[in-house]
Amino acid sequence: GMKSYLSLIPISAKVHRRQNRMTSLCIIFAVFMVTAVFSMAEMGARMEQARLAEKHDGFSISVLFSSTMGQTLLLSAGIIFLLILFAGVLMISSSLNSSVAQRTKFFGMMRCIGMSKKQIVRFVRLEALNWCKTAVPIGLALGVSASWILCGVLRYAVGEEFSNIPLFGISVIGIVSGIIVGVVTVLLAARSPANQAAKVSPVTAVSGNSEHGKMKNHTFHARSIKIETALGIHHATSAKKNLLLMTGSFALSIILFLSFTVLIDFVNHLMPQSAATSDIDISSSDGLNSIDNALAETLRGMNGVKQVYGRRGSFDIPAERDTGTMVSSTVDLVSFDDFDLDCLKKDGALHRGSNLSKVYGNSNYALAAWDKDSSWKIGDKILIGDEEIEISGLLKYDPFSSNGLTNGKITLITSGETFTRLTGITGYSLIMVQTTSQATDEDVSQLRNTVAESGNHFSDKRDQRTSGTYLAFVFCIYCFLGIITLVTVLNIVNSISMSVSAKIKQYGAMRAVGMDEQQITKMIFAEALTYAFWGGGIGCAIGLPLSKMLYDFLISDHFPYAVWSIPVRSLVIILLFVAFAATLAAYAPAKRIRNTTVTETINEL
């Protein structure tokens, strides 16, 4: 009965070792990704729980998940889970599909010796599950060790808020979801190849490959393109299921890549990193510009101080906008020191076309805060008293409002000199200090005493730095992007070489009727690039709207000033990778066919 059929599995597995290596790589990858993502999420949750438990008594996980951060984490983990599941199913089923196509004869023979369709379906399914035995544990081990390494990096290299992340935590959630993904992807992926194998009729077994009969009755109208290119394109588009799987795997990698780049934007908005982030703020006790300039000079000369820069503010100054019709209104003026102005450029806070260099020193130029509803633009002039100030640059948002929107209010940023000329004010309302990395607590308490003598407020913000968390998040996202691109290349290379191997007999026949090696190589390249072209098109068509949706959901809903724009850089990178993978994929099989003699190819079964 069935028992004796099952003993065929190891034999059939031996024959197709190279093929199976790829399939099990796909399973390992899916299990690894899910295990790593969920283990990291659980370690992060445990750390957050420990941190909040110190602050609040009787804190529980349910509180964590009712917070926005917790919900965002849960949701992103769910989305990632589905994406990986989908990617896994696509990769494994394209692998299985070509393996079944190559063994048409074997399945036909099985039917000849009396195997029923049901048994063949079960055979293919069990054969696929046979891989899980080794692939799933390897994936789990890799996933867990990756999460350990990441936790170690976070704890010792990044430190700060990660100093209490669990080091060798074993995440049950991570392991269970890894196993589920492994088994579910394999069972889902084996469905269509199993049905395909069951459809093989005993007749095909005798005549060889089932694809063979379909190829003969096609005539080519190839006046405009060379015959080999036309054949290659035809090969790619003739087997609809294969075309779908191949373009699907191309498209999916593009979609994944675009979705992950939105996450980087999300982290940038959640924890904006500015070069002008201060470690210590000194503010005037009366909220006015009453901090003496001399204090800034004193602080500059002290131990542990890296940068000292101040701001002055003057609000609701009567001004007139020079827009043909003189509409009288008021503006807010804020002065930035040179270092503060430099940082705007470093942070990429300025709009394209802004000219920052005009603002420095004693000038007639200023930068203006801006949002998408603002009516002012670069080059507009504003009269303050009898001085005319020109807007030489726009900020992408309003740094002084709580939601980043200007609400119709014009806020001008000038240099210190220009501000003093316009208002006569020399004192600061805020002095910011960046400390050196070697600064000790004694240095800081000396600064504190100096400030106390001057009667101003001192606030130490060193423990509010988010650069550690930020780096950790961005590092994780880039790791995933790296893995996605690597898998893209692997998957495409594998699929195309499989697809070529399945047609090796046809290529032999073409060689026999006088096609030369170069033409065959061109044909394979044409086939590979057809997949890349369709995959790229579909990937962009689905990926861009999805990236906008994710952007709106994660970013625009919480940061009203954020505007989605087409991620040109990410698109170019991933499309180049796809083209590169397709070319690489066509290279190996073309070489293999060139090195095979005509007779060998025809005889190969």
Side-chain angles (χ1 to χ4, degrees):
M2 195 65 196
K3 275 279 190 302
S4 54
Y5 289 132
L6 292 184
S7 61
L8 291 166
I9 290 181
I11 303 168
S12 121
K14 225 176 240 153
V15 182
H16 294 275
R17 192 161 281 151
R18 178 158 162 267
Q19 169 105 42
N20 300 348
R21 216 177 317 156
M22 198 60 216
T23 310
S24 51
L25 259 179
C26 298
I27 301 172
I28 290 172
F29 161 74
V31 175
F32 157 73
M33 284 279 279
V34 167
T35 311
V37 170
F38 281 79
S39 302
M40 282 312 288
E42 187 177 329
M43 297 308 140
R46 282 191 207 171
M47 175 189 78
E48 187 72 355
Q49 187 189 0
R51 191 178 68 80
L52 290 173
E54 282 172 19
K55 284 189 181 174
H56 319 277
D57 302 332
F59 172 81
S60 69
I61 276 286
S62 60
V63 177
L64 175 67
F65 284 141
S66 58
S67 70
T68 351
M69 188 69 187
Q71 286 169 348
T72 313
L73 271 175
L74 264 183
L75 193 80
S76 344
I79 295 171
I80 291 172
F81 184 83
L82 288 173
L83 282 174
I84 296 168
L85 189 74
F86 194 55
V89 170
L90 258 177
M91 294 186 327
I92 298 164
S93 59
S94 72
S95 225
L96 284 177
N97 245 334
S98 46
S99 131
V100 167
Q102 279 174 33
R103 288 179 304 159
T104 315
K105 199 158 186 179
F106 168 80
F107 289 116
M109 290 295 187
M110 294 297 98
R111 293 294 307 282
C112 283
I113 60 172
M115 220 183 191
S116 71
K117 284 189 176 187
K118 247 202 189 124
Q119 283 173 316
I120 285 192
V121 170
R122 199 180 308 165
F123 176 87
V124 175
R125 208 172 281 155
L126 282 165
E127 191 180 44
L129 281 174
N130 198 35
W131 282 309
C132 288
K133 279 206 312 240
T134 49
V136 170
I138 294 174
L140 291 176
L142 286 174
V144 170
S145 43
S147 74
W148 285 352
I149 293 168
L150 274 175
C151 287
V153 168
L154 291 179
R155 186 157 172 175
Y156 295 112
V158 177
E160 289 172 15
E161 57 271 60
F162 289 104
S163 42
N164 57 356
I165 195 165
L167 265 194
F168 294 107
I170 294 282
S171 156
V172 179
I173 302 176
I175 289 174
V176 170
S177 49
I179 295 173
I180 292 173
V181 157
V183 177
V184 170
T185 43
V186 167
L187 286 177
L188 284 175
R191 275 188 56 178
S192 79
N195 295 335
Q196 197 184 328
K199 280 195 200 116
V200 177
S201 67
V203 181
T204 332
V206 191
S207 64
N209 203 330
S210 65
E211 296 289 313
H212 220 57
K214 296 182 198 163
M215 279 300 286
K216 289 184 184 127
N217 48 10
H218 287 289
T219 50
F220 282 102
H221 307 292
R223 286 182 209 94
S224 48
I225 35 179
K226 289 192 173 151
I227 178 80
E228 57 270 30
T229 317
L231 267 171
I233 295 174
H234 172 76
H235 268 176
T237 50
S238 61
K240 290 286 176 285
K241 181 174 253 159
N242 190 33
L243 179 69
L244 260 173
L245 278 170
M246 300 285 274
T247 49
S249 57
F250 274 79
L252 190 82
S253 50
I254 294 172
I255 294 165
L256 276 172
F257 197 87
L258 291 176
S259 311
F260 267 96
T261 37
V262 173
L263 288 182
I264 292 179
D265 277 345
F266 176 57
V267 175
N268 280 330
H269 281 85
L270 205 60
M271 294 176 264
Q273 301 300 306
S274 166
T277 303
S278 56
D279 296 315
I280 290 161
D281 280 0
I282 297 143
S283 47
S284 57
S285 44
D286 55 7
L288 302 169
N289 301 293
S290 57
I291 306 178
D292 195 343
N293 264 356
L295 180 61
E297 283 310 314
T298 314
L299 294 173
R300 273 194 189 98
M302 292 179 73
N303 280 344
V305 172
K306 187 163 96 186
Q307 281 290 355
V308 176
Y309 45 105
R311 290 180 182 176
R312 309 172 173 87
S314 181
F315 307 109
D316 297 322
I317 300 177
E320 293 176 351
R321 266 184 72 195
D322 185 4
T323 48
T325 55
M326 298 291 270
V327 180
S328 201
S329 65
T330 61
V331 295
D332 288 352
L333 273 188
V334 178
S335 87
F336 272 31
D337 283 353
D338 288 359
F339 173 73
D340 221 348
L341 287 172
D342 294 342
C343 291
L344 288 174
K345 189 167 186 170
K346 278 189 202 145
D347 296 340
L350 296 172
H351 261 288
R352 213 177 267 133
S354 299
N355 186 343
L356 178 65
S357 56
K358 290 182 175 175
V359 178
Y360 294 95
N362 197 346
S363 73
N364 290 316
Y365 293 97
L367 302 170
W370 185 87
D371 63 36
K372 55 181 185 294
D373 301 322
S374 301
S375 57
W376 49 93
K377 53 188 185 304
I378 296 176
D380 281 4
K381 294 183 174 65
I382 291 172
L383 272 175
I384 297 175
D386 49 8
E387 298 251 12
E388 191 179 58
I389 298 291
E390 185 181 320
I391 297 177
S392 73
L394 297 173
L395 273 71
K396 291 180 179 165
Y397 56 94
D398 187 339
F400 311 106
S401 80
S402 57
N403 59 4
L405 299 175
T406 61
N407 302 313
K409 179 94 197 156
I410 299 183
T411 305
L412 297 180
I413 295 174
T414 66
S415 67
E417 294 91 325
T418 309
F419 183 89
T420 304
R421 189 187 79 233
L422 291 171
T423 61
I425 297 170
T426 55
Y428 286 111
S429 61
L430 172 71
I431 290 181
M432 296 181 280
V433 179
Q434 284 187 352
T435 53
T436 59
S437 50
Q438 291 85 32
T440 61
D441 284 339
E442 276 137 51
D443 293 339
V444 174
S445 59
Q446 271 189 315
L447 290 172
R448 188 188 290 274
N449 298 335
T450 311
V451 171
E453 282 165 26
S454 71
N456 293 301
H457 283 305
F458 180 98
S459 72
D460 186 347
K461 292 164 59 184
R462 285 173 305 162
D463 59 342
Q464 290 173 27
R465 284 186 198 154
T466 54
S467 53
T469 319
Y470 173 80
L471 282 173
F473 271 112
V474 171
F475 174 69
C476 287
I477 297 170
Y478 277 119
C479 280
F480 279 120
L481 280 176
I483 293 171
I484 289 169
T485 6
L486 186 74
V487 169
T488 304
V489 175
L490 268 179
N491 179 32
I492 291 171
V493 170
N494 165 57
S495 311
I496 289 179
S497 69
M498 291 303 175
S499 152
V500 172
S501 309
K503 303 196 196 72
I504 203 134
K505 254 177 124 169
Q506 291 168 24
Y507 293 125
M510 286 170 186
R511 290 282 303 278
V513 296
M515 226 186 186
D516 65 14
E517 293 165 4
Q518 235 178 344
Q519 284 177 302
I520 286 199
T521 312
K522 274 189 192 154
M523 191 163 105
I524 295 171
F525 273 102
E527 180 178 348
L529 290 172
T530 307
Y531 297 134
F533 172 77
W534 284 106
I538 295 169
C540 294
I542 299 173
L544 288 173
L546 182 73
S547 131
K548 181 175 178 354
M549 244 172 61
L550 272 173
Y551 191 96
D552 290 342
F553 171 72
L554 287 174
I555 302 169
S556 305
D557 289 359
H558 309 286
F559 308 95
Y561 60 89
V563 184
W564 181 82
S565 59
I566 291 181
V568 182
R569 265 215 339 248
S570 316
L571 258 185
V572 170
I573 292 173
I574 189 69
L575 289 175
L576 280 176
F577 252 99
V578 164
F580 164 73
T583 325
L584 191 76
Y587 176 76
K591 192 174 161 199
R592 198 163 73 230
I593 284 176
R594 284 206 301 273
N595 297 342
T596 324
T597 63
V598 177
T599 44
E600 269 178 69
T601 334
I602 296 182
N603 291 337
E604 192 175 282
L605 293 179

